[in-house]
């Protein structure tokens, strides 16, 4: 039983949650087939279920797409283990559309060899666990129900943990995508200032090695003095809890210096291991170029394609004349574009235009690496 309980909690961290857990529960109870329906299917959502043995994936796909609609072994009393025979006769089970058209081909069993439990999660979702035995095996009995009942609280807790992990991961991806879109690199380091992870923008910066690079798993600036300063700031911010420090990083290419913000990540006492996040370094390249966001600019300000292209080049720092040369248009045409752009954006100066476009367009649509 301990091995089955361990597998239930381990399922939260698996690449494909519940696959190994269902195998061990199946062995523990002695089943021919064990299925967990974590998120029931609907007309707009295929849901999520895992079956052991793999039956194979055709079984899972068929159930999720069609046969969930005719499954009669549903709506059980919450957290109470019941047999199919507790809720319907063997005749009703075997004459059901679900059994005759689908289930008998995968596992031709009777009502006495089917057992299940519905588990209601904190979010109100009803998770279903279903176990079946081939007719050659003994029917489920009270001892089988008791053993499954012991696992139910652990399954419910694991479902809650899995939901929390999923929410945290989804939030992390949203925040990371937002930083990517703003061209902000994020590097996360452990207590020894060793690299744990970096977002795509930071990976691009580290790979280019122009301002900051990796030496093994440690950050290294272009000069020894700046490397020492960076490590000093990592130590100081860590010692001062939530302190934040900034520095600039020289570029071997001669481009403008890159800004770095160093921040300690508060660690809770319960966190373990040497690889827990301890530092975050935020990186911003002042020369990061916005890609042409014509469609978004057109939708927000009713720019024409030519006006949108011209406006983006102004935001990228080009003067009116330089933007005209780059786009291959006459200066008079550029000035005409600028007047119309000012009118549509509701501004009177180029600096205002840059601010408006940065806030409205480029914060949502910048160069992705």
């Amino acid at each position: 039983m301990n091995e089955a309980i361990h597998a239930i909690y381990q399922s939260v961290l698996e690449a494909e949650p519940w696959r190994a857990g269902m195998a061990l529960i199946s062995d523990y109870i002695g089943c021919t087939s064990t299925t967990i329906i974590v998120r029931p299917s609907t007309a707009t959502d295929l849901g999520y279920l895992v079956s052991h043995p793999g039956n194979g994936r055709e079984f899972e796909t068929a159930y999720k797409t069609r046969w969930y609609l005719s499954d009669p072994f549903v709506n059980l009393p919450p957290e109470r283990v019941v047999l199919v025979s507790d809720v319907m006769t063997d005749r009703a089970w075997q004459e059901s559309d679900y059994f005759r058209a689908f289930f008998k081909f995968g596992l031709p069993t009777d009502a006495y060899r089917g057992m299940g439990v519905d588990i209601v999660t904190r979010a109100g979702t009803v998770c279903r666990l279903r176990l079946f035995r081939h007719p050659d095996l003994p029917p489920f009995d009270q001892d089988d129900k008791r053993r499954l009942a012991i696992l139910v609280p652990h399954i419910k807790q694991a479902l809650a943990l899995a939901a929390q992990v999923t929410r945290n991961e989804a939030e992390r991806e949203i925040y990371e995508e937002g930083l990517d879109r703003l061209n902000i690199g994020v590097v996360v380091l452990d207590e020894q200032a060793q690299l744990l992870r970096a977002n795509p923008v930071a990976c691009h910066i580290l790979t280019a090695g122009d301002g900051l690079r990796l030496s093994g798993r440690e950050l290294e600036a272009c000069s020894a003095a700046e490397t020492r300063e960076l490590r000093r700031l990592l130590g100081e911010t860590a010692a001062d809890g939530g302190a934040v420090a900034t520095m600039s990083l020289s570029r071997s290419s001669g481009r403008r210096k890159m800004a770095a913000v160093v921040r300690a990540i508060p660690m809770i006492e319960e966190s373990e291991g040497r690889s827990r996040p301890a530092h975050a370094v935020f990186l911003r390249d002042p020369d990061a170029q916005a890609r042409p966001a014509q469609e978004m600019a057109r939708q927000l300000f009713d720019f024409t394609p030519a006006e949108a292209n011209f406006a983006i080049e102004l935001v990228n720092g080009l003067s009116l004349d330089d933007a005209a040369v780059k786009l291959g248009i006459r200066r008079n045409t550029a000035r005409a574009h600028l007047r119309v752009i000012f009118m549509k954006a509701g501004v009177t100066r180029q600096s205002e235009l840059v601010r408006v476009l940065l806030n409205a367009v480029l914060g949502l649509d910048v160069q992705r690496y």
Side-chain angles (χ1 to χ4, degrees), residues 169 172-173 175-176 179-180 185-190 194-200 202-203 206 214 217 219 265 275 277 279-281:
E169 182 65 18
R172 184 191 64 79
E173 290 179 0
Y175 297 147
E176 188 170 278
L179 292 172
D180 287 347
V186 183
V187 178
V188 179
L189 308 174
D190 64 17
Q194 302 278 308
L195 178 69
L196 285 179
R197 60 191 307 271
N199 73 340
C203 287
L206 295 174
L214 281 177
R217 290 179 54 219
L219 296 181
I265 299 176
S275 60
H279 314 275
V281 180

Side-chain angles (χ1 to χ4, degrees), residues 284-296:
R284 181 70 167 122
D285 181 355
D287 292 325
Q289 293 289 300
R291 63 173 169 158
Q294 301 100 322
E295 190 58 33
M296 190 175 295

Side-chain angles (χ1 to χ4, degrees), residues 25 48 103 135 148 171 205 251 272 277 292 300 350:
I25 290 175
Y48 182 74
F103 200 75
L148 181 58
E171 290 176 3
I205 291 171
R251 317 282 287 278
E272 61 165 333
L300 291 176
Q350 188 169 330

Side-chain angles (χ1 to χ4, degrees), residues 71-78 80 82 87 117-118 126-128 130:
D71 186 352
F73 193 32
V74 295
N75 301 322
L76 308 181
R80 196 174 92 193
V82 300
V87 295
V117 59
D118 284 359
V126 179
C127 167
R128 304 172 191 161
R130 301 294 184 261

Side-chain angles (χ1 to χ4, degrees), residues 181 183 288-297 308-309 311-313 315-316 326 361-362 364-369:
R181 286 186 174 275
N183 263 2
Q289 293 289 300
R291 63 173 169 158
Q294 301 100 322
E295 190 58 33
M296 190 175 295
N309 280 340
I312 297 299
E313 294 304 335
V315 172
N316 278 335
K326 182 175 180 179
V361 178
L362 299 182
L364 299 176
D365 194 66
V366 297
Q367 179 67 47
R368 304 295 299 275
Y369 296 112

Side-chain angles (χ1 to χ4, degrees), residues 233-256:
L233 294 180
L234 289 171
E236 283 189 357
T237 54
D240 192 17
V244 175
T246 60
M247 68 175 293
S248 58
L249 297 167
S250 302
R251 317 282 287 278
S252 56
S253 64
R255 297 165 64 189
R256 285 183 289 182

